[in-house]
Amino acid sequence: MTKDTVFPEKGIKAYRSSFLDFLDDPFYSPEADCVRFIQDGLLVLDNGKIREIGDYEQLKDRYLDIPIVSYPGMLIMPGFIDTHIHYPQTEMIAAYGEQLLEWLTKYTFPTEGKFKDKDYAKKVAAFFLNELLKNGTTTALVFAAVYPQSADAFFEEAYSRNLCMIAGKVMMDRNAPDFLLDTPESSYTETKELIEKWHKKGRLRYAVTPRFSITSSNAQLQMAGKLLKEYPDVYLHTHLSENVDEVAWVKELFPECSGYLDTYDQAGLVGNRSVFAHGVQLTDEEFQCLSAAKSAIAFCPTSNLFLGSGLFKLEQAKSKEYPVKVGLGTDVGAGTSFSILQTANEAYKVSQLRRQKPTPFQALYLATLGGAKALELQDYIGNFNVGKEADFIVLDLRATPLMTFRNPAPKPTTLEELADAVFTLMMMGDDRAIHATYIMGQLAYEKTGK
Amino acid sequence: MTKDTVFPEKGIKAYRSSFLDFLDDPFYSPEADCVRFIQDGLLVLDNGKIREIGDYEQLKDRYLDIPIVSYPGMLIMPGFIDTHIHYPQTEMIAAYGEQLLEWLTKYTFPTEGKFKDKDYAKKVAAFFLNELLKNGTTTALVFAAVYPQSADAFFEEAYSRNLCMIAGKVMMDRNAPDFLLDTPESSYTETKELIEKWHKKGRLRYAVTPRFSITSSNAQLQMAGKLLKEYPDVYLHTHLSENVDEVAWVKELFPECSGYLDTYDQAGLVGNRSVFAHGVQLTDEEFQCLSAAKSAIAFCPTSNLFLGSGLFKLEQAKSKEYPVKVGLGTDVGAGTSFSILQTANEAYKVSQLRRQKPTPFQALYLATLGGAKALELQDYIGNFNVGKEADFIVLDLRATPLMTFRNPAPKPTTLEELADAVFTLMMMGDDRAIHATYIMGQLAYEKTGK
């Protein structure tokens, strides 16, 4: 080290390890063109943003005076992105025995009622965010409860952690217990206030969040559409075509609409910042409509299996003719794990039941850059391109004795070996495989013990 | 403590905790009659067998001088029983991209070839058994490889741990690489020698193990039948009707048989000590035949999903009219976890997709007493009845922060609370929920850290 540092300015940091991220979508382009794998790489940050990434040997001379954090034998990836999750349902994960509509009535609605108490909501939000970080998830699209203070609680906790999170208060004005209902007018006013308060504050974004067409009247959906017109860069987050009985009920409730998606479309809710959870029961026409509108689907396999909703047609969403943006969603509390790795495990199983087989790289693309594109955040996060915000995770492919036994070589050297290694990661990995999580270059979680 | 001990003889030990086991089958009898739950209980062992179980307050005065091991806040259950698993496939768990027949050719056969080397086989067997114990599995029905020394290696390792294990060398004489093939005659001779050497040595049992009708000629199946006649208390362990293409191929190979099960039946392989893995594609007639023969099915949900084989009809197997014995199987390496808890998680999901919902107690019954009955071991293991061998596990229902958050009360007091708690255990639990594993009263595994 010399006294004349090459980069004397504050905020330069560097990390040495293996790196994996995606430059393009491996559902549409050859994997060799999409996967960026640097066996011995250096990731250089400048005030929490990516300044440079490349081979360690090529870059090291230019960063002689920068302290380098090394993670030998680990794999660094962009943080995982969860495109659909409910924070108030954390405490009711794994509730027994029901399919969607009964499950909502029996478990969800009573639980969400507790979130009128802001102190309680803050406690749960804090636990929830810590679980996300522990599982390597750095960005999520999140349902709060109907109470505006439940959204405040979430945003306050996310803001204090400098997280890139999108959330919204639920809008619901019918077909639920009175204590959970708002009205078209109150939901409009409260949402508007929340948007003004939180949208683009720090790294936060707001999503207008009608629960689904069963609990929102057409008048309320129209109010949601009005908000989207007034604030064209906020999001729309809702559920769509999850369960057969749900779809049938929506048809009864909206006889004037051609189908479930149309109930949203007629209110102006189907656009390029709209994210629809599930889509298990979508028709061909609805897939085409989502493609034309550049809307996104959150594929939530552990939830779809847990509630017996069905098998999402991933290959149809990712078709060449009518491509639809797709991200992975845990959908906790109907989903059974906070881990995007476990979610990818069950995404693979759902596909296998349909005689499809997404590759390991396709799955990890959905978990990172694909999720960022689904959330229209690809300019900020999702891979290690220069200028992006440095939310990243340090993965241990040998986090358990069984993973070590399965991966005896210390680290992969070819793309084929890497594919095998990351497939074992997504089939056997869980929070134990997350060695550390960084938010804009700051250590936000580190695993203790092995 | 006084000097005049009530039970001065060696080998008396006692454990205090909450206890859960099953007295009968909750698929057929009311749960309240089947579930034995002792909130604050004492389990007393005598030389590794169960001497007594009951309320601590009622029993404690009679065991004043016996050292009592306490597990406050934990739940003690009988060890889990895995009714179908392949030890040589440990190192190829989570192999990407294929359904059954291609998966066998691409991954399984090359891997099993390594088990000609007995030293290698011993190493893998040791790792495998440690994984089982770490996951709370105390008994398993296990495929070795085709080489007799691979079975020797497994039995030696299991014997040294005093485990109740059933295993056998694979018989396969066609449709596989030459290096994996035996002949009808050699498989007969080698199996016979192994039976003589290992069956009923310590707690070990032997299973005659033709891989399946695709890799065993009718001549070899007949030899298997001959062995079962000569040794009426050994087991038959094979695969049955897992995958659509497999069933079609079996039909081609056995034009004289009425179906897949009939290929075994005509060789005398369908009896009350026969265990058939999978049965996903079984016909109604085949279910009835299995019921009449008192044969068992190993339900392997993580494997059936991973290979895309399909959804097992659990409710048909457990029908009142034609009941079939059923146990849970991990089927590692096609199964994705050694954990019977994770296997129960996916058994629930498979059932939900079929609009069924096995209760938490039904699932845990399959994992314990149901598995013991499937393996005709109910006189020895499966619950805490007096005289049985004390293989038991200490479960931590609050093994992770999320499980603790979901189960804020330290322990359940009613059957309903218990059902909820053990459901969260099977949905979120894995090896981390196994605090300790005991084999005949001896500590065989203890978790380190939390």
Side-chain angles (χ1 to χ4, degrees):
Chain A
M1 280 223 256
T2 67
K3 281 204 170 177
D4 297 316
T5 54
V6 182
F7 297 101
E9 69 263 39
K10 265 169 73 179
I12 304 246
K13 289 183 180 183
Y15 299 86
R16 182 181 180 185
S17 188
S18 293
F19 291 88
L20 168 64
D21 69 337
F22 296 92
L23 301 172
D24 206 344
D25 186 340
F27 285 92
Y28 301 110
S29 300
E31 292 201 326
D33 298 345
C34 299
V35 175
R36 172 163 55 189
F37 174 54
I38 308 174
Q39 162 74 32
D40 180 12
L42 195 71
L43 176 72
V44 187
L45 311 185
D46 188 352
N47 280 323
K49 291 192 179 174
I50 291 161
R51 177 192 180 96
E52 187 158 31
I53 186 168
D55 281 321
Y56 173 75
E57 287 298 331
Q58 286 175 21
L59 294 184
K60 66 176 182 181
D61 291 344
R62 296 174 36 218
Y63 295 95
L64 288 175
D65 291 345
I66 302 304
I68 292 177
V69 178
S70 280
Y71 285 109
M74 300 279 167
L75 179 69
I76 293 185
M77 283 189 67
F80 294 141
I81 295 170
D82 187 339
T83 60
H84 179 63
I85 186 164
H86 299 251
Y87 98 82
Q89 294 175 18
T90 304
E91 68 198 81
M92 49 160 287
I93 190 171
Y96 169 76
E98 305 299 342
Q99 301 218 345
L100 175 64
L101 299 173
E102 300 74 20
W103 176 86
L104 282 169
T105 305
K106 186 168 174 182
Y107 300 112
T108 312
F109 292 157
T111 302
E112 291 195 7
K114 298 186 193 175
F115 287 75
K116 193 168 185 175
D117 176 349
K118 189 176 166 190
D119 290 340
Y120 186 76
K122 288 265 283 185
K123 269 183 219 161
V124 176
F127 180 85
F128 171 89
L129 289 170
N130 292 345
E131 274 297 305
L132 288 185
L133 294 174
K134 183 184 172 190
N135 282 280
T137 298
T138 50
T139 287
L141 176 57
V142 181
F143 264 66
V146 72
Y147 315 106
Q149 60 270 35
S150 73
D152 281 329
F154 178 80
F155 282 123
E156 287 170 16
E157 290 294 325
Y159 185 74
S160 74
R161 288 167 178 77
N162 196 29
L163 297 175
C164 176
M165 290 279 159
I166 313 173
K169 121 182 178 70
V170 172
M171 303 166 75
M172 51 195 299
D173 66 353
R174 62 174 176 177
N175 291 320
D178 283 347
F179 61 84
L180 278 185
L181 298 183
D182 53 17
T183 68
E185 296 68 30
S186 71
S187 67
Y188 171 82
T189 310
E190 289 168 356
T191 299
K192 196 175 173 77
E193 283 173 13
L194 288 165
I195 292 171
E196 296 284 346
K197 200 192 302 186
W198 293 111
H199 185 59
K200 296 211 163 168
K201 176 162 180 173
R203 305 177 74 205
L204 304 174
R205 269 82 167 171
Y206 197 87
V208 174
T209 309
R211 177 166 230 118
F212 64 159
S213 295
I214 286 173
T215 51
S216 283
S217 66
N218 184 50
Q220 187 169 54
L221 295 178
Q222 297 290 336
M223 285 297 192
K226 190 176 167 194
L227 287 161
L228 293 185
K229 272 197 193 128
E230 294 176 43
Y231 300 96
D233 63 352
V234 302
Y235 293 86
L236 184 284
H237 184 199
T238 189
H239 299 93
L240 174 65
S241 297
E242 178 174 0
N243 164 292
V244 171
D245 295 345
E246 172 209 17
V247 174
W249 193 3
V250 170
K251 275 194 184 149
E252 276 177 38
L253 291 169
F254 291 85
E256 71 283 10
C257 291
S258 65
Y260 195 158
L261 182 60
D262 194 39
T263 65
Y264 298 133
D265 204 16
Q266 292 202 15
L269 303 184
V270 183
N272 73 339
R273 302 177 91 78
S274 302
V275 182
F276 298 98
H278 308 301
V280 173
Q281 318 293 339
L282 287 174
T283 65
D284 293 349
E285 294 68 28
E286 288 175 320
F287 270 113
Q288 292 166 26
C289 172
L290 290 170
S291 176
K294 299 191 168 22
S295 297
I297 298 173
F299 173 23
C300 308
T302 78
S303 168
N304 296 158
L305 294 175
F306 182 70
L307 294 180
S309 302
L311 307 175
F312 178 65
K313 295 173 189 162
L314 177 60
E315 78 289 355
Q316 184 164 7
K318 299 298 288 182
S319 75
K320 285 200 172 132
E321 273 187 306
Y322 302 104
V324 179
K325 294 183 295 189
V326 177
L328 293 176
T330 61
D331 192 26
V332 167
T336 54
S337 170
F338 274 82
S339 169
I340 286 289
L341 295 173
Q342 287 296 294
T343 305
N345 169 318
E346 295 198 359
Y348 180 78
K349 289 171 177 171
V350 164
S351 295
Q352 272 279 43
L353 283 176
R354 309 194 63 260
R355 302 219 150 212
Q356 303 293 322
K357 44 180 186 183
T359 69
F361 292 130
Q362 288 174 337
L364 291 176
Y365 168 81
L366 295 179
T368 55
L369 186 60
K373 288 186 177 176
L375 302 184
E376 290 289 328
L377 290 171
Q378 67 274 17
D379 292 342
Y380 306 96
I381 54 170
N383 65 13
F384 294 132
N385 282 357
V386 172
K388 289 202 186 183
E389 297 165 0
D391 291 350
F392 64 89
I393 56 179
V394 183
L395 290 156
D396 182 359
L397 274 68
R398 295 150 62 86
T400 66
L402 183 61
M403 291 171 80
T404 304
F405 193 74
R406 175 65 171 80
N407 290 299
K411 41 186 174 174
T413 55
T414 66
L415 213 58
E416 197 183 349
E417 285 174 12
L418 180 66
D420 180 63
V422 296
F423 187 65
T424 68
L425 176 71
M426 69 183 242
M427 296 314 298
M428 293 192 281
D430 52 30
D431 57 281
R432 285 173 285 191
I434 311 299
H435 183 79
T437 303
Y438 282 83
I439 298 298
M440 289 198 77
Q442 298 287 334
L443 184 66
Y445 165 78
E446 191 167 32
K447 195 173 77 158
T448 52
K450 170 129 185 175
Chain B
M1 279 224 255
T2 67
K3 280 204 171 179
D4 298 317
T5 55
V6 181
F7 297 102
E9 69 264 42
K10 267 169 72 180
I12 303 245
K13 289 182 178 183
Y15 299 86
R16 181 181 180 186
S17 190
S18 291
F19 292 87
L20 168 64
D21 69 337
F22 296 91
L23 301 172
D24 207 345
D25 186 341
F27 285 91
Y28 301 109
S29 299
E31 292 200 327
D33 299 344
C34 299
V35 176
R36 172 163 55 187
F37 175 53
I38 308 173
Q39 163 74 36
D40 181 11
L42 195 70
L43 175 72
V44 186
L45 312 185
D46 188 351
N47 279 324
K49 292 191 178 177
I50 291 161
R51 178 192 178 96
E52 187 157 33
I53 187 169
D55 282 321
Y56 173 76
E57 286 299 330
Q58 287 176 21
L59 295 184
K60 65 175 181 180
D61 290 344
R62 295 175 34 219
Y63 295 96
L64 289 175
D65 292 344
I66 302 304
I68 292 177
V69 178
S70 279
Y71 285 110
M74 300 279 168
L75 179 69
I76 292 184
M77 283 190 67
F80 294 140
I81 294 171
D82 186 339
T83 60
H84 179 63
I85 187 166
H86 299 252
Y87 99 82
Q89 295 176 16
T90 305
E91 69 198 81
M92 49 161 284
I93 189 171
Y96 169 74
E98 307 298 343
Q99 300 218 347
L100 175 63
L101 299 174
E102 300 75 20
W103 176 86
L104 282 171
T105 305
K106 186 168 173 181
Y107 300 112
T108 311
F109 291 157
T111 302
E112 290 195 7
K114 297 186 194 175
F115 288 74
K116 192 168 185 176
D117 176 349
K118 189 175 166 190
D119 289 341
Y120 187 78
K122 288 265 284 186
K123 270 183 216 160
V124 177
F127 179 85
F128 170 90
L129 289 170
N130 292 345
E131 275 296 306
L132 288 185
L133 293 174
K134 182 184 172 189
N135 281 280
T137 297
T138 50
T139 287
L141 175 56
V142 182
F143 265 66
V146 72
Y147 315 107
Q149 60 270 35
S150 74
D152 280 329
F154 178 79
F155 281 122
E156 287 170 16
E157 290 294 324
Y159 185 74
S160 74
R161 288 166 177 77
N162 195 28
L163 297 175
C164 176
M165 290 281 159
I166 313 174
K169 119 182 178 69
V170 172
M171 303 164 75
M172 51 196 298
D173 64 353
R174 62 174 177 176
N175 291 320
D178 283 348
F179 61 84
L180 278 184
L181 297 183
D182 54 17
T183 67
E185 294 69 29
S186 71
S187 68
Y188 171 82
T189 310
E190 289 168 357
T191 299
K192 196 175 172 79
E193 282 173 14
L194 288 165
I195 292 171
E196 295 285 346
K197 200 190 303 187
W198 293 111
H199 185 58
K200 297 209 162 168
K201 175 162 180 172
R203 304 177 75 205
L204 304 174
R205 269 79 166 172
Y206 196 88
V208 174
T209 309
R211 177 165 230 119
F212 64 159
S213 295
I214 286 174
T215 51
S216 284
S217 66
N218 183 50
Q220 187 169 54
L221 296 178
Q222 297 292 336
M223 284 297 192
K226 190 174 167 196
L227 286 161
L228 294 185
K229 272 199 195 127
E230 293 175 44
Y231 299 96
D233 64 352
V234 303
Y235 293 86
L236 185 282
H237 183 198
T238 189
H239 299 93
L240 174 66
S241 297
E242 178 174 1
N243 164 292
V244 171
D245 296 343
E246 173 209 15
V247 174
W249 194 2
V250 170
K251 274 194 187 151
E252 277 177 37
L253 290 170
F254 291 84
E256 72 282 11
C257 290
S258 66
Y260 196 159
L261 182 60
D262 194 39
T263 66
Y264 298 132
D265 204 16
Q266 292 202 15
L269 303 184
V270 183
N272 73 338
R273 302 176 91 78
S274 302
V275 182
F276 299 98
H278 307 302
V280 173
Q281 317 293 339
L282 287 174
T283 65
D284 294 349
E285 292 69 28
E286 289 175 320
F287 271 113
Q288 291 167 25
C289 171
L290 290 170
S291 176
K294 299 188 167 25
S295 297
I297 298 173
F299 173 23
C300 307
T302 79
S303 168
N304 296 159
L305 294 175
F306 181 71
L307 294 180
S309 303
L311 308 175
F312 178 65
K313 296 173 187 161
L314 177 59
E315 78 288 355
Q316 184 164 5
K318 299 298 289 182
S319 74
K320 284 198 176 134
E321 271 186 306
Y322 302 104
V324 179
K325 295 184 294 190
V326 176
L328 293 176
T330 61
D331 192 25
V332 167
T336 54
S337 170
F338 274 83
S339 169
I340 286 289
L341 294 172
Q342 286 296 295
T343 305
N345 169 318
E346 296 199 358
Y348 181 77
K349 289 171 176 169
V350 164
S351 295
Q352 272 278 43
L353 283 176
R354 308 195 63 259
R355 302 218 149 214
Q356 302 293 322
K357 44 179 186 184
T359 69
F361 292 130
Q362 287 174 336
L364 291 176
Y365 168 81
L366 294 180
T368 55
L369 185 61
K373 287 186 177 176
L375 302 184
E376 290 289 327
L377 290 171
Q378 67 274 17
D379 292 343
Y380 306 97
I381 55 171
N383 66 12
F384 293 132
N385 282 358
V386 172
K388 289 203 187 184
E389 297 165 1
D391 291 350
F392 64 88
I393 56 180
V394 183
L395 289 156
D396 182 358
L397 273 67
R398 295 150 62 88
T400 66
L402 183 60
M403 291 171 79
T404 304
F405 193 75
R406 176 64 172 80
N407 290 299
K411 41 187 175 173
T413 54
T414 66
L415 213 56
E416 197 182 348
E417 285 175 11
L418 179 67
D420 180 62
V422 296
F423 187 65
T424 69
L425 176 72
M426 69 183 241
M427 296 313 296
M428 293 192 281
D430 52 31
D431 56 281
R432 285 173 284 190
I434 310 300
H435 184 79
T437 302
Y438 282 83
I439 299 298
M440 288 199 78
Q442 298 288 333
L443 184 65
Y445 165 77
E446 190 167 33
K447 195 173 74 158
T448 52
K450 171 131 183 172

